[in-house]
Amino acid sequence: DHTFLSTFGQPERNTACQCERVKQLGFPQALQLVNGPTLQRKLNDPNGRIQQGIAAETPTEELVAELYWSALSRPPMPQELTMVMQHIEASHDPLKGLQDCCWALINSPRFVFEH
């Protein structure tokens, strides 16, 4: 999605200089992550990682670990895993609970500022 990429500083590619890229994060980027259509479309894609994992009957703990590895390059800490698993159980819908987890990871300061 061009709007999503340009919001996050995609350069026009007029030169090979990295100086074209905008590296500041602000309100437009926050809005894209919080409620932008690109993220929502990806989370709801039936061919997405979460839906494919559920269809393959992958254990929920493994799906959560995969989301953490993908977003933060590390496994969930024990207390994080416990909290996420409680949320998924309380949601009564593993898909919605895992989507919430993914959304939270993408909106975490570590993902936004380090990845």
Side-chain angles (χ1 to χ4, degrees), residues 60-80:
T60 305
E61 291 88 352
E62 284 183 37
L63 293 173
V64 171
E66 185 177 338
L67 291 175
Y68 268 80
W69 276 109
S70 297
L72 305 180
S73 302
R74 66 168 177 82
M77 290 185 257
Q79 66 270 27
E80 291 170 327

Side-chain angles (χ1 to χ4, degrees), residues 84-100:
V84 170
M85 293 303 294
Q86 288 173 347
H87 175 76
I88 292 169
E89 284 181 31
S91 71
H92 302 291
D93 181 354
L95 174 60
K96 293 295 181 196
L98 286 162
Q99 287 173 329
D100 289 346

